[in-house]
Amino acid sequence: MSLTDRELTLDTRHVAKHLPDTLQMQKLLEKEGSAHVFNDEATMSMITQAIIEKGEFVGFIRGHERYGLYFDEPIGYRVSMDGSRIPLYYAEIKVKGNKYHVIPRTKPSR
């Protein structure tokens, strides 16, 4: 399977919750107790392109086709309610139909 030979559209409903200091990220933090965010929108775009070009197929997990990639430098962080941050070096693209969104993670989904 490959992402490079497909016509995909960004699912914009999920973008803001993975960017720092947005209202959607704050709501996710309050609801879940933590949030995984990219350093900024430029990083999110760069990571998306990298996964599309060379991401590894993770599998079909919880209704989504997933592709992921590890990075040498932190691409984002996991923030907790107490403000603590854990750097993140992995990201996945979740694909359903022809829509996708990208998520920074600690490790591949299972």
Side-chain angles (χ1 to χ4, degrees):
M1 297 198 184
S2 173
L3 292 172
T4 57
D5 58 353
R6 296 167 60 181
E7 186 80 27
L8 295 174
T9 304
L10 176 63
D11 189 346
T12 56
R13 295 175 301 157
H14 300 284
V15 171
K17 66 183 172 185
H18 297 297
L19 294 174
D21 304 319
T22 62
L23 179 60
Q24 292 87 340
M25 187 275 297
Q26 291 295 330
K27 286 181 180 180
L28 184 63
L29 181 61
E30 290 171 12
K31 179 182 175 189
E32 303 285 331
S34 66
H36 293 80
V37 297
F38 287 99
N39 292 330
D40 51 38
E41 195 165 359
T43 301
M44 179 188 271
S45 295
M46 179 187 70
I47 296 309
T48 300
Q49 191 59 40
I51 296 173
I52 288 171
E53 291 173 4
K54 54 189 173 195
E56 297 178 2
F57 180 64
V58 176
F60 288 95
I61 302 165
R62 293 184 293 283
H64 290 84
E65 182 181 348
R66 296 173 188 245
Y67 298 82
L69 194 60
Y70 279 100
F71 297 88
D72 294 332
E73 300 290 324
I75 58 167
Y77 52 91
R78 178 184 185 271
V79 63
S80 297
M81 289 293 290
D82 64 5
S84 63
R85 295 179 178 197
I86 297 170
L88 300 175
Y89 295 84
Y90 183 80
E92 281 183 357
I93 285 183
K94 292 172 62 173
V95 180
K96 191 166 198 171
N98 70 334
K99 293 197 174 220
Y100 76 91
H101 66 280
V102 63
I103 304 169
R105 298 184 47 88
T106 55
K107 60 186 178 195
S109 295
R110 295 178 187 225

